[in-house]
Amino acid sequence: MSTVVPEWRCRWCRSDRATVVLDLGAQPAADLFPEPEDPSPDPVHPLRMVMCDRCRLAQLEHDPTGPEEPRGVEPAALVAQARSGVADLLAAGLLHPGAWVGEMRSPHGGSWLEHLPEIVPDAVLLDGPGTVPGIAADLVIDSLGLMHEPDQRAAWDLRVDALAPDGVLALHVHPLSVIVRDGMWNALRHGHFAYYSLTVLVEAARAVGLVPVGLWRYPLYGGTRLVALAREGSRPALAGAESAAGLVAAELVVEAAAGTTEPSSVQELQRQVARSASELRHWLDVRTGSVVAYGAASRAVALFALAGVTADDVLAVVDASPAKQGRAMPGGPGPRVPVLGPDLFAEVRPDRVLLLVPDLLDEVRSAHPEVEAFGGRWVVAEPELVEVEPLSRDGGRLR
Ligand SMILES: [Zn+2]
């Protein structure tokens, strides 16, 4: 099964052997939203996830795109996540006035620091090597930042170097086990370099001298984890830390049972890709009413390309971000799907709204009651196509 990938080196352990676990073929860069009338074909790049044969880190094989992930409108779900995470760190005693707190930048937005000024006025943004020379942070927060680092070894070193001797690194991650369990194949994107199982994360932490001292779980993206890590032997004042070892051990048992570090288990994502694309293609082919999509997100680019979605299938993608309005989704042959503002809902009164960012269902639904008021229905696009039951008259859900 192993393939020697020319000039490839593991982003963590530098091994040169890996196994392909998910291959999406040639895809447009996730940050490419072309002009609607641009006649030139969209440049495409190989998009493959491999698992290192030695350390079992799942990772982006190559990234020729060098994308700056576009900053869309910050979803309410990420703001809520940031608040929950900060509340948990506060309760654990890791945030207090006078603490030195730093945050690693993440293109996913949802900065946790923005929720800190009243608690920790001196918090700083750590934006790469040398940004804050000599900082010895009591707490370094990294929410979905590590995955965006091409060189994982350097990324871990940077984080550890920023820590005071008894400092804590709070890593918020979307574990590979959850991605595989939920069939979330489009977590694979250019610019997303590392896909950690907690098993591999704990191993990597150990290799840089850190051990888990805290663990919290959240419902975001089907299940994220906040792992607090501290230097082995240090004793960070962490309320409730005695349960951390048991929580982490339980997670590792679940991952072992699911085979999260086995390429064959992760390859299940490949089968889900085929299911998602053919299901969407079929649904579009048999539909008779008008279809508008919501969310010109980078995660939707591959789905549209794989299912061959054109403006003949979907009138437009509605997006709240003014930067994307007036552009178009990249894609294969056929008329491009334009990206337009939310006014379109009232103008077109679509029969179905295909939601390309499933996490946003509750917030976009309450932001756009006109969709259902005009008789339209929301349809979650992936990993499985699901039509959302309309709200009952008293505002409660029917199911
Ligand atoms: Zn490796």
Side-chain angles (χ1 to χ4, degrees):
M1 287 296 290
S2 295
T3 50
V4 178
V5 185
E7 296 174 47
W8 181 86
R9 285 287 181 280
C10 172
R11 298 178 185 280
W12 167 249
C13 80
R14 311 301 193 218
S15 158
D16 63 354
R17 297 190 74 85
T19 302
V20 176
V21 289
L22 178 57
D23 187 345
L24 295 183
Q27 292 291 333
D31 62 340
L32 179 81
F33 291 96
E35 298 289 341
E37 306 303 331
D38 185 348
S40 54
D42 301 319
V44 291
H45 314 275
L47 182 53
R48 301 214 295 185
M49 186 194 291
V50 298
M51 180 177 275
C52 173
D53 287 355
R54 188 198 286 164
C55 74
R56 303 303 173 101
L57 176 64
Q59 50 201 288
L60 184 61
E61 183 187 26
H62 290 298
D63 190 351
T65 70
E68 280 292 311
E69 197 162 327
R71 259 182 186 271
V73 174
E74 185 165 88
L78 275 176
V79 176
Q81 172 61 57
R83 289 215 181 92
S84 300
V86 165
D88 286 334
L89 293 173
L90 197 57
L94 290 171
L95 286 169
H96 49 83
W100 268 103
V101 181
E103 181 175 32
M104 305 303 302
R105 180 195 284 269
S106 162
H108 277 202
S111 167
W112 293 19
L113 279 192
E114 288 164 14
H115 304 274
L116 291 185
E118 286 116 56
I119 311 162
V120 189
D122 298 328
V124 291
L125 188 67
L126 305 172
D127 193 16
T131 312
V132 188
I135 184 176
D138 299 311
L139 176 65
V140 170
I141 297 168
D142 180 328
S143 177
L144 308 172
L146 184 64
M147 62 190 280
H148 294 92
E149 301 265 13
D151 185 335
Q152 289 293 307
R153 175 69 69 172
W156 277 94
D157 287 345
L158 175 67
R159 285 153 178 76
V160 174
D161 288 348
L163 288 179
D166 58 353
V168 168
L169 171 61
L171 269 184
H172 180 223
V173 296
H174 186 206
L176 180 66
S177 47
V178 173
I179 291 171
V180 173
R181 182 198 69 198
D182 292 354
M184 300 165 90
W185 56 268
N186 65 6
L188 174 62
R189 267 170 263 166
H190 290 120
H192 289 185
F193 295 98
Y195 305 81
Y196 279 89
S197 57
L198 285 180
T199 308
V200 172
L201 187 141
V202 166
E203 280 302 312
R206 192 161 290 146
V208 294
L210 302 181
V211 292
V213 294
L215 179 79
W216 296 267
R217 304 171 200 203
Y218 305 99
L220 185 73
Y221 303 151
T224 58
R225 304 288 184 272
L226 176 63
V227 186
L229 301 161
R231 287 197 176 84
E232 206 155 9
S234 73
R235 290 177 179 273
L238 189 63
E242 50 283 354
S243 62
L247 287 174
V248 171
E251 295 268 350
L252 300 192
V253 166
V254 170
E255 290 196 344
T260 308
T261 56
E262 295 302 321
S264 57
S265 299
V266 183
Q267 282 162 343
E268 179 58 31
L269 291 172
Q270 191 75 52
R271 289 178 279 280
Q272 186 61 44
V273 173
R275 282 196 287 270
S276 297
S278 67
E279 198 175 43
L280 176 57
R281 187 65 262 161
H282 176 74
W283 183 80
L284 290 167
D285 287 344
V286 300
R287 279 223 59 74
T288 50
S290 56
V291 178
V292 165
Y294 185 93
S298 50
R299 66 187 287 163
V301 170
L303 178 66
F304 266 39
L306 290 163
V309 178
T310 72
D312 295 333
D313 304 307
V314 170
L315 293 173
V317 177
V318 166
D319 196 283
S321 166
K324 292 178 187 170
Q325 293 166 14
R327 313 289 287 196
M329 298 293 283
R336 285 195 167 116
V337 182
V339 181
L340 299 170
D343 290 349
L344 190 75
F345 288 140
E347 290 162 23
V348 170
R349 302 188 175 192
D351 185 49
R352 291 290 183 273
V353 179
L354 183 67
L355 183 61
L356 302 171
V357 277
D359 298 300
L360 299 191
L361 177 61
D362 289 340
E363 70 187 85
V364 295
R365 200 179 192 198
S366 54
H368 299 292
E370 67 273 23
V371 169
E372 284 165 298
F374 294 139
R377 289 271 206 100
W378 290 94
V379 180
V380 175
E382 42 82 14
E384 277 163 15
L385 209 67
V386 177
E387 296 217 4
V388 180
E389 293 293 328
L391 296 171
S392 63
R393 196 164 290 175
D394 63 4
R397 286 194 198 185
L398 289 175
R399 63 179 180 128

